Amino acid sequence: MMEPHMNPQKIADAVAIGMMAKDRASRGLGLRVIHIGPGSAHIEMMVRADMLNGFDMCHGGFITLLADSAFAFACNSYNELTVASSLNIDFITPARGGDVLTARATEVSQSGRTGVYDVAVSNQNGVRVAVFRGRSHRMKGKPVVTYPGSTN
């Protein structure tokens, strides 16, 4: 829900702060919001030793969680509660311990209550690790965060 006295970037910034404050999973894995804007988000994660599978590669579940978090921040950036309705991920190349992964989510389409978002996950060398597509469902009239002066 757009506030008339706040521009879209300030709304996205407020959403990022509010969401991260409540997102124990993202904080617990050390995820950091590098950028958020209307319909977009970049989230970063360092691959720790406890994220490696038996082949010394980052477990796909952690890569999926990173991409899903970027998707969540991007689709909630308008301050309307939005949840995932489906997702698909393709792993391209392994991530290793010590890698710094960045998930870059971008809005492909938004119409009514549904949206489509693409997320590219790359390592610190710019090598693409995975691609993710998420579909969202917006809960009309339900804000993600409230802040001083908001009408929520």
Side-chain angles (χ1 to χ4, degrees), residues 2-13 38:
M2 301 288 267
E3 299 301 328
H5 61 284
M6 291 183 74
N7 70 41
Q9 183 59 53
K10 287 185 179 186
I11 291 170
D13 290 338

Side-chain angles (χ1 to χ4, degrees), residues 5-120:
H5 61 284
M6 291 183 74
N7 70 41
Q9 183 59 53
K10 287 185 179 186
I11 291 170
D13 290 338
V15 167
I17 291 165
M19 283 181 65
M20 190 55 85
K22 294 180 180 180
D23 189 341
R24 294 179 298 277
S26 291
R27 285 195 331 268
L29 291 173
L31 273 57
R32 294 184 324 126
V33 177
I34 302 303
H35 159 80
I36 190 165
S40 68
H42 301 173
I43 309 289
E44 186 177 87
M45 175 183 82
M46 176 178 275
V47 178
R48 304 182 315 226
D50 63 343
M51 296 175 172
L52 301 178
N53 63 20
F55 304 111
D56 274 339
M57 297 183 287
C58 184
H59 190 288
F62 291 109
I63 296 168
T64 303
L65 189 144
L66 171 64
D68 187 38
S69 288
F71 165 53
F73 278 82
C75 63
N76 280 283
S77 63
Y78 300 107
N79 200 27
E80 288 188 82
L81 182 62
T82 305
V83 297
S85 61
S86 68
L87 64 86
N88 183 59
I89 189 163
D90 293 300
F91 301 107
I92 299 169
T93 194
R96 306 284 180 187
D99 280 350
V100 177
L101 302 180
T102 303
R104 291 175 174 83
T106 56
E107 186 176 272
V108 174
S109 71
Q110 179 64 49
S111 178
R113 291 186 181 206
T114 61
V116 176
Y117 292 78
D118 283 343
V119 183

